Amino acid sequence: MNKLTDQIQAEVNKVVLGKGDIVRKVLLAILAQGHVLLEDVPGVGKTTLAKAFSKTLGLDSKRVQFTSDTLPSDIIGFSVFDKADGKLKYQSGAIMTNLLLADEINRTSSKTQSALLEAMEELQVTVDGVTRPLPKPFIVLATENPVGSAGTQMLPASQLDRFMLQLSMGYPNRASTAALLKDRHHVDPLSACQTVTSPAELEKLIAEVSNIHVADRIYDYIAELVDLTRSNAYVTLGVSPRGALAVTRAAKANAYLEGRDYVIPDDVCAVFPDVCVHRLILNSKARLQDYTAALILQNVLTSVQKPDVREFSSK
C-alpha cells in the first residue's frame, strides 16, 4: 500500500474513532474522483469526518448548511453589475473550493440541489452563460438525515447517481465511545489531525489510480453485474452507465489501496454494493416482499461467476 495513503487514513482515524472502514471508503472515493453521500442520524460524526479529510489532505474547504431557503446562487455564485467598467462581475459561490461539505443536503429544494449537478459531473459551473472550471481536485462530501426525519425530502435519482458512494457511519462501539468522551472533554478533535499532503500531491495520487490496469475480462464482469440489476424482477431502475463507470473507477482505487497496479475480481466485489446501493429504484413487488437494494446486489454478486484471479495475477 502507498505509504502516503496509510498516513492519510491514520490521521483521519485520530479524529473519527472506530470507523476505519468508512475512512478507507471515503479515501477510495476521493482517489477515484468520486463524491460521497453520508446518510445517518445526527451526531455520529459525518461533519467531523469531512473536516478531518479537508485538513489532512490540505484542501481548501467550504461548508454549506442546506436549508429550505438556500438558493442556487449561494452554491454556484452570481453576477453583479460593476459600475466601474460597466460589465457584469462574477461573485463566486461556495462551489469554488476543493472540498465542498454539503451539510444536510436533503433539507433543501430540488432547485437548489440541481445547482450541484453540472459541478459534480463536469467539474464546472455556468452562470449567465459563462462556464468556469472548478479547482482541482473537486470533491463533494454531502450529509443527509434519514428520509422521514422532520424537514427532509428524498434526493432525485439524477442527484443520487452523481454520488460514487453512499455510506452510513452508524454509532461507534462502546470502546470507541468511551475513548471519544475521554479525548474530547477538553480538546478539539481536529487539533490532533496533521496535514500530510497537498492538492498537487493528491492530484498525483489520483493520476496513479487512473493508470491502474483493467483487463477486458474485468470490464465484461462489471458489465454482466450491471446488466443483471436492470433485468431484476424487483428493480424498476437499475444501475446506469454512469454507475458502471463508477464501479470501474472505484475498483481501480481499491486495487491501488491494496498495493496492486491491476484490478482483480475481488476489487469489483468489494466496491459494487456501496457504489450501486443508492442507484437502484425498487418496485412495489420488492417492498411487499421486504427486498432491499443491498440484498438484491448481494444476490447479483453471487449469481455471476467470478473470473479466476489467476488470469490477472500473472499480468
Side-chain angles (χ1 to χ4, degrees), residues 21-83:
D21 182 52
I22 295 294
V23 169
R24 184 185 185 279
K25 288 177 179 179
V26 173
L27 178 59
L28 179 150
I30 291 172
L31 295 176
Q33 303 177 78
H35 311 289
V36 180
L37 179 63
L38 298 166
E39 182 189 48
D40 223 318
V41 296
V44 295
K46 302 185 295 294
T47 303
T48 301
L49 174 70
K51 288 181 176 180
F53 266 104
S54 174
K55 184 175 180 181
T56 301
L57 298 174
L59 301 177
D60 177 60
S61 176
K62 292 180 182 176
R63 174 183 178 181
V64 177
Q65 182 67 49
F66 282 84
T67 59
S68 58
D69 58 354
T70 303
L71 300 174
S73 58
D74 297 328
I75 312 300
I76 63 174
F78 54 92
S79 297
V80 294
F81 184 73
D82 189 342
K83 291 182 178 179

Side-chain angles (χ1 to χ4, degrees), residues 8 45 167 171 174 206 258 268:
I8 293 169
L167 304 173
Y171 292 114
R174 189 169 70 175
I206 291 171
E258 291 294 325
V268 177

Side-chain angles (χ1 to χ4, degrees), residues 71-104:
L71 300 174
S73 58
D74 297 328
I75 312 300
I76 63 174
F78 54 92
S79 297
V80 294
F81 184 73
D82 189 342
K83 291 182 178 179
D85 58 14
K87 295 180 180 179
L88 289 174
K89 185 177 181 180
Y90 174 65
Q91 299 292 318
S92 62
I95 203 80
M96 287 296 174
T97 189
N98 294 122
L99 191 153
L100 177 66
L101 172 55
D103 222 350
E104 297 186 302

Side-chain angles (χ1 to χ4, degrees), residues 213-223 311-312:
H213 176 73
V214 182
D216 288 345
R217 182 66 185 91
I218 294 292
Y219 287 126
D220 291 340
Y221 181 51
I222 293 172
E311 298 178 36
F312 312 99

Side-chain angles (χ1 to χ4, degrees), residues 10 49 61 92 104 155 254 275 290 300:
L49 174 70
S61 176
S92 62
E104 297 186 302
L155 296 179
N254 193 76
V275 174
D290 292 329
V300 167

Side-chain angles (χ1 to χ4, degrees), residues 58-284:
L59 301 177
D60 177 60
S61 176
K62 292 180 182 176
R63 174 183 178 181
V64 177
Q65 182 67 49
F66 282 84
T67 59
S68 58
D69 58 354
T70 303
L71 300 174
S73 58
D74 297 328
I75 312 300
I76 63 174
F78 54 92
S79 297
V80 294
F81 184 73
D82 189 342
K83 291 182 178 179
D85 58 14
K87 295 180 180 179
L88 289 174
K89 185 177 181 180
Y90 174 65
Q91 299 292 318
S92 62
I95 203 80
M96 287 296 174
T97 189
N98 294 122
L99 191 153
L100 177 66
L101 172 55
D103 222 350
E104 297 186 302
I105 191 173
N106 62 337
R107 290 189 181 274
T108 195
S109 67
S110 297
K111 183 177 182 180
T112 301
Q113 290 171 14
S114 67
L116 286 167
L117 298 182
E118 180 185 16
M120 293 175 69
E121 182 67 18
E122 302 172 46
L123 304 182
Q124 63 183 30
V125 292
T126 302
V127 178
D128 293 328
V130 179
T131 299
R132 295 175 173 84
L134 296 175
K136 291 185 178 181
F138 174 71
I139 305 135
V140 174
L141 288 184
T143 72
E144 69 170 359
N145 294 328
V147 174
S149 302
T152 63
Q153 57 184 320
M154 290 186 66
L155 296 179
S158 59
Q159 178 75 77
L160 285 172
D161 204 29
R162 282 165 169 78
F163 286 103
M164 175 171 280
L165 301 180
Q166 177 176 310
L167 304 173
S168 178
M169 294 184 68
Y171 292 114
N173 58 33
R174 189 169 70 175
S176 296
T177 300
L180 182 151
L181 296 174
K182 180 180 178 180
D183 293 345
R184 301 177 192 190
H185 189 61
H186 300 292
V187 180
D188 178 0
L190 290 172
S191 64
C193 185
Q194 302 297 316
T195 300
V196 298
T197 186
S198 66
E201 290 175 307
L202 182 57
E203 279 288 287
K204 290 180 181 178
L205 295 181
I206 291 171
E208 290 175 3
V209 169
S210 68
N211 289 327
I212 295 291
H213 176 73
V214 182
D216 288 345
R217 182 66 185 91
I218 294 292
Y219 287 126
D220 291 340
Y221 181 51
I222 293 172
E224 189 174 2
L225 291 172
V226 167
D227 189 59
L228 277 181
T229 69
R230 300 168 183 168
S231 59
N232 190 282
Y234 299 101
V235 176
T236 299
L237 185 67
V239 178
S240 68
R242 182 188 288 117
L245 288 168
V247 172
T248 306
R249 297 204 315 270
K252 291 165 75 171
N254 193 76
Y256 185 79
L257 290 176
E258 291 294 325
R260 281 181 274 100
D261 62 356
Y262 58 94
V263 174
I264 63 174
D266 284 344
D267 294 317
V268 177
C269 295
V271 302
F272 185 72
D274 290 323
V275 174
C276 299
V277 69
H278 58 293
R279 302 175 195 271
L280 300 186
I281 295 180
L282 308 187
N283 56 29
S284 56

